[in-house]
Amino acid sequence: MATKGFKSEQGNGGETHQQIPAKGPHDGLDHLTTNQGVKVSDNQNQLKAGARGPVLLEDFVLREKIFHFDHERIPERIVHARGSAAHGYFEVYESLADITKADLFQRPGEKTPVFTRFSTVAGGAGSVDTPRDVRGFAVKFYTQQGNWDLVGNNIPVFFIQDAMKFPDLVHSVKMEADRGYPQAASAHDTFWDFISLMPESTHMIMWAMSDRTIPRTLRTMQGFGVHTFRMVNAQGKSTFVKFHWKPKQGNASTVWDEAVKIAGADPDFQRRDLFEAIDRGDYPEWELGIQAFDEAFADSLPYDVLDPTKIIPEEILPVRPIGRMVLDRYPDNFFAETEQVAYCPANIVPGIDFSNDPLLQGRLFSYLDTQLKRLGSTNFHQIPINAPKCPVMNFQRDGHMQMLQPKGRANYEPNSLSEAGEVSGPRECPVEGFTSFAGRAAEDEQGDKLRIRPESFADHYSQARMFFRSLDPAEQAHLASALVFELSKVGLEHIRARMLSNLVNVDPELAGRVAAGINMPLPKASPSAAKILDLDLSPALRIINGPLDLKTLEGRSVGILIADGSDARVVDALTSKIGDAGGRPILIAPKVGGAKMSDGSLLKADAQLAGFPSVLVDAIVVALSEDGCKALLNEAAAVQFVMDAFGHLKAIGASEAAKPLLDKAGVKPDEGITGLDDAFVEAAKTRYWDREPKIRMLA
Ligand code: HDE
């Protein structure tokens, strides 16, 4: 059968193509090309022998396109695979010349560009944003002296004290080896088996089970450098430092049920939030602070500052603010920037140095190694997102994907290849070049080769106890309930029992609550390698009623439920008041096209009710007429909208006519339940923790 072919206006999208104006060589339009720069005439059809005939191998346009597509993925990060990032700047407040010679800290007001990536740890790159998990908080400072990476977390301590245990920790938390689940969750046997056998993880477990690991947004979490680092000044004097990032937006977390529901409603909730905040000019900001101290202070503490399972409470050593970071630009391309960025704790600049923290020392090896695996070439530093913004000059050459074309003969040093017989090319700089802090090794910092932990790392429980006892009672209940939830997912009873024994060391009352929650007898305390101390409490560790629990609408969102018959004037007035208070009103209606208001006008909605549950906002307004309410009483999404807002302890402002819906959703009056007036705008600035014991059986 002879079939005539038709040219590329046909096929899928053929009609659209017909509408595109014909392009000629000088028409000023951008033309598709191959990667060799050859213009492509037809991007719809393979090259065939006849209209219905076989495809020809010589179709280099097709083969190049498919070849490139086939190789689009690179290995995802083994940990911290799922992340979101943004560009911005760091601005230093005052000169820190007294403690560091690092160039970025010398001139007040000077700005240094940064690229910051936030991540979860356990899940794959395609996992959800809101599992219970630690968050990575990695900042690349592109300083004039080279890149400095502060690769931290949103929790100031870590699970383990020695890099030797990291692969074991990560294997235990990732999906189980035989069954391939659960993804992005610590609530399973292998994790708790490992944890219960590693008492050094107990302090971190307190943080991991607290509200810190279910942050509301990336903008509302703290960051920490975790390890003790050093700053070194021009005179060579070293000061120990711990780094802290404090969000200007305040600290805010979700409740667990909410985090779980967000995962279904919007798996990209936190990534979207970061993008949208930057997009509307509400730039997220953090203050960088340091706890600076000397050896004598370190020696005075009842724990070791080289032990990454310990903090120095702010009440003992206040955090000195040194600058601020503003994130004001979302990446142009997710893969090129967020995926290819390569952080490395070994990237430091003159004026900053390491401590002997054995976990930090292990990390110094790992990251470079992982970059080679992921990015496939030793030249990954040439990728724009990784490239320093200061000159890079050396005699390193060649390698996969070399982007540079060095000129001349000299590719070694020393040389005498210049015409005058002098060295050609860059040379070392003893004055400004990086020199490691030499220090003087203490007795226990030298000696025989040993695989040993210092005795000063032996206390695994005192700070865990301090953390738990410092929390607000509502947070303590969340923490205990999280332990109950996680251990309830553990099948092997001996693991649960062993974990309970460790918890007795933290706080017998906590252990009792958890034991009751899983209905198991409370075992005896597990042996402790060191005496457990009752350290002074640190209220600065709280989220709820803590120093960063800002009662504010700034940067927060309010979902306003409207339907046919809603009062346009009331909705309008409330919308402006929410906006005036810095909040973001989001109109939600049964149909996205909008609702017909009582005055006959059509008010367009931002979101459709069935696709926008109240977990996606920080407070809700139910602005319904009698008829509107009556109609929505038969809409499960409306009942659930209100029920969840109540259950997640959010403020609810409602019209009189909406009362039947509130009743159906089980809403009981309290301080957070208001009318549609100014009282709502005030109420929406916080959550109602007192409501919780009335609606949820917490441990
Ligand atoms: Fe990491 N970690 N880590 N880590 N880590 C990685 O590097 C590693 C640790 C942290 O957004 C990997 O490029 C070891 C502590 C963040 O790209 C890998 C040890 C802290 C990120 C690696 C630790 C972190 C990573 C995987 C124990 C908080 C994501 C991909 C010795 C202070 C950075 C990569 C980003 C990523 C190794 C412990 C934070 C495999 C061996 C402690 C925020 O190299």
Side-chain angles (χ1 to χ4, degrees), residues 460-478:
H460 303 320
Y461 295 110
S462 303
Q463 285 211 346
R465 173 179 294 179
M466 175 192 72
F467 177 77
F468 177 71
R469 292 187 179 169
S470 299
L471 296 183
D472 183 90
E475 286 176 300
Q476 289 181 334
H478 295 165

Side-chain angles (χ1 to χ4, degrees), residues 1 13 62 66 126 177 240 272 333 340 391 396 404 442 460 464 498 549 565 585 602 609 663 672 692:
M1 175 175 68
L62 170 81
I66 300 283
F240 283 133
R272 188 190 308 277
N333 184 275
Q340 291 198 116
Q396 294 174 27
L404 307 176
H460 303 320
R498 191 164 54 221
D549 184 4
L602 179 76
L609 174 60
D663 289 343
E692 196 160 32

Side-chain angles (χ1 to χ4, degrees), residues 77 80 117 151-153 166 343 359 363 366-367 370-371:
R77 292 164 175 81
H80 298 267
R117 184 174 181 271
V151 196
N153 278 343
F166 191 66
Y343 294 94
L359 193 71
R363 295 178 72 201
S366 175
Y367 290 64
T370 220
Q371 311 314 349

Side-chain angles (χ1 to χ4, degrees), residues 77-80 117-119 135-138 151-153 158 160 162-163 166 224-227 341-343 358-360 362-363 366-368 370-371 374:
R77 292 164 175 81
I78 167 73
V79 282
H80 298 267
R117 184 174 181 271
F118 307 102
S119 47
R135 300 300 191 279
F137 194 125
V151 196
N153 278 343
F158 202 64
I160 48 171
D162 193 296
F166 191 66
F224 303 90
V226 177
H227 313 281
V341 65
Y343 294 94
L359 193 71
L360 172 61
R363 295 178 72 201
S366 175
Y367 290 64
L368 202 55
T370 220
Q371 311 314 349
R374 270 184 11 87

